[in-house]
């Protein structure tokens, strides 16, 4: 993350650019939902757009594009456990197979 | 006793302690919301039917725009401090606070309409998870507003005594606030559109 005034001014321009892109992606998300895709397709499209938007917020607003290794390490560990957490419901499928 | 490394970076992490602390807190928040998203998946996969179109998409979209806007004003509040512009910092931080309040007012109207129609958390599984997820998110908005109110009020005087530490505090507040925005970015399509 920068502290030099010239770099901060440059960052301000990227904040505005990301703001406009987030607005555009929000409109695209709502527009895509009007197409009434099949449920798996609709979920995929919506989550891809949400992930893109989330990456922009994390990367630019939260300065993750220029962070220290300690933060990347903590987040990587979090990501691993987050994915495990999201897949825990899949274990219920094993229950159905068993009975 | 003074807390060390509130301004200068720790040699081992390269970060001031507040920043590492907020990121570790946000990691725990990821797991909290992750558990609820996981619950949502479990309920939705297990349901024979899942309601669609129960929520107002225009209202949800307006709230998305409001929160994204508040993220921009928040980061601009921090950037203004780095540019030594106290007036703009106050303007942007106040703007963030007002946008957060508008978000909650919209949510109040949304909740009132559903509760008025008997569609509380007890109504069905969809409304149970909807109120749980958005209620927890709303509490995070309130928490952020309390912190912002402190920095607009009594906490602001630190700018005169220790401007670098004050800027770090605003940066930390901003990281929390962007996370709250990020959660909503996923909540909106999951609850309102799918």
């Amino acid at each position: 993350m920068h502290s030099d005034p010239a770099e901060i001014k440059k960052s301000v321009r990227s904040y505005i650019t990301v703001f406009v892109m987030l607005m555009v992606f929000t409109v695209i998300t709502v527009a895509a939902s009007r197409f009434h895709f099949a449920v798996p397709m609709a979920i995929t499209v919506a989550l891809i757009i949400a992930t893109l938007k989330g990456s922009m917020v994390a990367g630019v607003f939260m300065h993750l594009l220029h962070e220290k290794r300690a933060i990347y390490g903590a987040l990587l560990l979090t990501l691993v456990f987050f994915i495990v957490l999201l897949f825990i419901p899949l274990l219920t499928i094993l229950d159905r197979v068993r009975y | 006793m003074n807390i060390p490394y509130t301004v200068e970076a720790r040699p081992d992490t390269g970060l001031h302690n507040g920043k590492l602390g907020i990121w570790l807190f946000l990691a725990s928040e990821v797991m909290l919301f992750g558990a609820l998203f996981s619950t949502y998946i479990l309920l939705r996969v297990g349901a024979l039917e899942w309601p669609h179109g129960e929520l107002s998409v225009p209202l949800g979209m307006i709230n998305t725009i409001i929160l994204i806007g508040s993220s921009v004003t928040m980061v601009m509040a921090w950037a203004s401090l780095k540019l030594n512009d106290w007036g703009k910092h106050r303007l942007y931080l106040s703007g963030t606070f007002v946008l957060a309040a508008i978000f909650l007012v919209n949510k109040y109207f949304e909740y009132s309409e559903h509760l008025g129609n008997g569609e509380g958390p007890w109504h069905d599984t969809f409304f149970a998870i909807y109120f749980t997820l958005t209620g927890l998110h709303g509490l995070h908005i309130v928490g952020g507003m309390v912190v912002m109110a402190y920095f607009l009020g009594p906490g602001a005087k630190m700018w005169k005594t220790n401007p670098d530490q004050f800027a770090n505090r605003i940066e930390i507040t901003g990281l929390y606030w962007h996370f709250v925005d990020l959660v909503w970015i996923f909540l909106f399509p999951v609850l309102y559109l799918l």
Side-chain angles (χ1 to χ4, degrees):
Chain A
M1 194 194 61
H2 314 293
S3 351
D4 173 42
E7 289 293 331
I8 297 281
K9 279 181 185 163
K10 211 192 283 179
S11 298
V12 167
R13 279 196 289 275
S14 61
Y15 299 149
I16 306 296
T17 309
V18 166
F19 171 63
V20 173
M21 287 173 74
L22 288 171
M23 289 295 150
V24 171
F25 277 117
T26 300
V27 173
I28 291 173
T29 310
V30 176
S33 74
R34 308 262 166 190
F35 279 105
H36 301 295
F37 293 124
V39 172
M41 182 65 169
I43 290 174
T44 308
V45 170
L47 288 185
I48 285 173
I49 298 173
T51 305
L52 281 173
K53 287 168 74 181
S55 307
M56 281 189 267
V57 170
V60 180
F61 291 166
M62 299 172 90
H63 306 127
L64 266 189
L65 290 175
H66 312 280
E67 263 309 345
K68 298 284 186 289
R69 285 177 61 186
I71 289 176
Y72 291 142
L75 289 181
L76 188 66
L77 198 62
T78 309
L79 183 70
V80 170
F81 282 104
F82 178 72
I83 290 169
V84 170
L85 194 65
L86 282 186
F87 279 92
I88 285 175
L90 287 181
L91 295 176
T92 58
I93 294 169
L94 292 178
D95 285 348
R96 286 180 207 169
V97 171
R98 202 176 303 151
Y99 302 106
Chain B
M1 191 186 85
N2 283 333
I3 298 172
Y5 304 112
T6 51
V7 175
E8 72 278 19
R10 268 179 71 110
D12 50 357
T13 61
L15 300 158
H16 60 86
N17 278 352
K19 193 164 183 177
L20 185 61
I22 194 73
W23 273 110
L24 292 178
F25 171 70
L26 292 182
S28 75
E29 290 279 272
V30 168
M31 299 311 287
L32 173 65
F33 279 100
L36 287 172
F37 273 108
S38 182
T39 306
Y40 168 87
I41 295 168
L42 181 65
L43 292 173
R44 181 151 185 177
V45 169
L48 295 173
E49 273 183 59
W50 195 255
H52 188 75
E54 299 282 329
L55 306 175
S56 163
V57 174
L59 215 52
M61 187 177 165
I62 288 167
N63 263 352
T64 306
I65 292 168
I66 287 169
L67 265 199
I68 291 171
S70 77
S71 249
V72 180
T73 52
M74 189 73 227
V75 78
M76 293 297 278
W78 167 80
S80 304
L81 285 180
K82 288 288 181 185
L83 294 170
N84 228 1
D85 192 336
W86 178 246
K88 272 196 181 162
H89 160 74
R90 300 282 291 175
L91 187 72
Y92 284 125
L93 193 61
S94 306
T96 312
F97 185 88
V98 169
L99 287 169
I102 296 171
F103 178 93
L104 286 183
V105 168
N106 273 347
K107 212 77 211 125
Y108 167 78
F109 284 122
E110 220 179 338
Y111 276 9
S112 300
E113 197 190 327
H114 289 301
L115 292 172
N117 294 334
E119 296 167 337
W122 55 83
H123 185 263
D124 58 21
T125 310
F126 171 76
F127 277 105
I129 194 72
Y130 162 74
F131 275 101
T132 306
L133 278 166
T134 57
L136 183 68
H137 180 263
L139 283 176
H140 279 75
I141 297 271
V142 173
M145 287 176 75
V146 170
V147 175
M148 280 183 253
Y150 173 73
F151 288 126
L152 284 167
K157 58 178 181 276
M158 182 185 258
W159 176 248
K160 286 183 181 155
T161 55
N162 196 341
D164 289 331
Q165 192 179 352
F166 183 76
N168 284 347
R169 285 183 166 190
I170 294 297
E171 183 193 8
I172 290 166
T173 310
L175 286 171
Y176 169 82
W177 193 252
H178 301 313
F179 176 79
V180 173
D181 178 27
L182 213 155
V183 170
W184 183 259
I185 282 173
F186 283 92
L187 281 182
F188 173 57
V190 163
L191 294 173
Y192 288 74
L193 303 176
L194 295 177

